[in-house]
Amino acid sequence: MPAATKRDYYEVLGVPRGASEEELKKAYRRLAIKFHPDRNPGNKQAEESFKEINEAYQVLSDPERRAQYDRFGHSAFQGPQGQGPFGGFDFSQGFEEVFSDIFGDFFGTGRGRSRSRSRRGDDLRYDLEVEFEEAARGTEKIIRFQRLTQCEACNGTRARGGSTGARQCPNCRGSGQVRTQQGFFSISTTCGQCRGEGMIISDPCPKCQGQGRVRKQESLSVRIPAGVDNGSRLKLRGEGEAGYGGGAPGDLYVIVHVKEHPLFARQDNDIVIEVPISFPQAALGCEIEVPTLEGKVKLKVPAGTQSGKVLRLKGKGIVDLHGYGRGDQLIRVAVETPRSLTPRQRELLEEFAKLDGKAVSHPLSKGFVDKLKEMFG
């Protein structure tokens, strides 16, 4: 492209003259993807634009060349070295990082996506069942499970006797990647000979069969904090399966399942229990014994207590898992109606029924009747 017809390099990339290196790279990358021949097959104009932005970027990305261009313009690169299809510039040099990123967008490859020879171990899940009281108070459990651990015979190298049985892959020279030249582009792909490992195991470890890891039965003490609820997940960092090729181990997640209690139910951090009392106890008032997590306590039931009434014992609930105090125990009163009566009991109740409405107050019944009158007149 003759110097007289060349556009200003900054104009080609669409950046100001004071643009930073990162701004230049972003602009170039965006335009290179837009005008790449693979995206514009047979489009001569796109091909020329692609050549132009490559030429501009090669100059402006090099501090020395950029300084010369800023001072002398296009004439700085005229002469014997200014010949060739792209003005004497070798575009196969110095742009691997940018081209690698572009091909990553096109083909899912690229330097940032190359296969790593070391991989983190898998996470594991363990389902643990605990009693209601254990979840409320906290406890410690021994769990037993199987996991992949690093082979002690080869220290995870997969070769007999450690590293002595492994050799560098001759095809990729230990990188796990091979480069293929396409024009002035260099594409990295996973090495097919070592499958991206970079090493070839000529003499595999007999204990792990060249896997670097063996399955082992493990025992682990797990602290269950007070206040855990059904479905709570405890993370034990680094207690999962061993990594591959020296990678970090995974984590172990313990999922807590709390058994149902025959008397207690949990409502957030409160404990709910239903306690039956007789009609005379509800009418006259009484003192009853109520079970709690710490044992039995005495509770006064006021006279005239209705069925379904909830009484509260402050601070007798479950400790908050995050340290925000403790819940209460809620006692829901259930007034029982006797199913069988002695003749004397029946006689007394019949006498009570005759007096009912004269000497006895029934606020709930009266309220219900008043609401009916409001609805139906």
Side-chain angles (χ1 to χ4, degrees), residues 110-175:
R111 181 171 299 184
R113 295 177 174 88
S114 62
R115 181 176 176 181
S116 173
R117 282 174 283 171
S118 64
R119 294 193 297 275
R120 181 180 180 273
D122 290 337
D123 294 333
L124 294 177
R125 168 177 172 148
Y126 187 93
D127 292 274
L128 177 64
E129 192 174 57
V130 299
E131 300 291 341
F132 186 92
E133 292 89 348
E134 290 176 326
R137 299 170 184 158
T139 186
E140 193 162 323
K141 293 283 189 179
I142 301 295
I143 63 173
R144 294 174 175 82
F145 61 102
Q146 286 193 343
R147 66 179 172 190
L148 288 172
T149 61
Q150 181 175 290
C151 176
E152 296 176 355
C154 66
N155 292 322
T157 64
R158 303 184 293 129
R160 185 191 296 269
S163 60
T164 56
R167 60 185 176 89
Q168 187 182 78
C169 175
N171 190 41
C172 64
R173 298 181 181 178
S175 68

Side-chain angles (χ1 to χ4, degrees), residues 16 34 60 63 73 76 118 170 205 237 242 245 260 269-270 310 336 347 360 364 376:
K34 179 179 179 181
L60 298 183
S118 64
C205 172
R237 191 178 298 277
E260 289 188 5
N269 287 334
D270 294 334
V310 176
E336 281 195 304
E347 181 184 348
V360 180
L364 294 180
F376 302 107

Side-chain angles (χ1 to χ4, degrees), residues 64-234:
E64 185 177 343
R65 287 181 177 179
R66 183 176 181 179
Q68 292 177 0
Y69 177 76
D70 289 343
R71 185 176 181 183
F72 301 109
H74 293 296
S75 61
F77 309 107
Q78 297 302 304
Q81 294 181 347
Q83 305 302 317
F86 304 125
F89 300 124
D90 180 8
F91 295 115
S92 66
Q93 302 296 324
F95 301 100
E96 288 185 359
E97 181 181 354
V98 178
F99 289 158
S100 178
D101 288 343
I102 293 172
F103 275 96
D105 288 337
F106 288 155
F107 310 115
T109 61
R111 181 171 299 184
R113 295 177 174 88
S114 62
R115 181 176 176 181
S116 173
R117 282 174 283 171
S118 64
R119 294 193 297 275
R120 181 180 180 273
D122 290 337
D123 294 333
L124 294 177
R125 168 177 172 148
Y126 187 93
D127 292 274
L128 177 64
E129 192 174 57
V130 299
E131 300 291 341
F132 186 92
E133 292 89 348
E134 290 176 326
R137 299 170 184 158
T139 186
E140 193 162 323
K141 293 283 189 179
I142 301 295
I143 63 173
R144 294 174 175 82
F145 61 102
Q146 286 193 343
R147 66 179 172 190
L148 288 172
T149 61
Q150 181 175 290
C151 176
E152 296 176 355
C154 66
N155 292 322
T157 64
R158 303 184 293 129
R160 185 191 296 269
S163 60
T164 56
R167 60 185 176 89
Q168 187 182 78
C169 175
N171 190 41
C172 64
R173 298 181 181 178
S175 68
Q177 301 282 310
V178 291
R179 291 185 180 275
T180 305
Q181 196 75 24
Q182 292 188 3
F184 52 83
F185 290 104
S186 178
I187 305 175
S188 293
T189 56
T190 301
C191 176
Q193 190 165 341
C194 67
R195 298 182 180 179
E197 301 295 339
M199 303 294 291
I200 293 178
I201 309 299
S202 57
D203 188 9
C205 172
K207 183 174 182 180
C208 63
Q209 285 77 50
Q211 298 301 310
R213 301 181 297 177
V214 293
R215 189 162 296 280
K216 187 178 178 182
Q217 183 77 19
E218 299 281 0
S219 294
L220 194 64
S221 177
V222 179
R223 188 182 69 84
I224 309 299
V228 294
D229 204 351
N230 190 53
S232 292
R233 187 179 71 164
L234 307 178

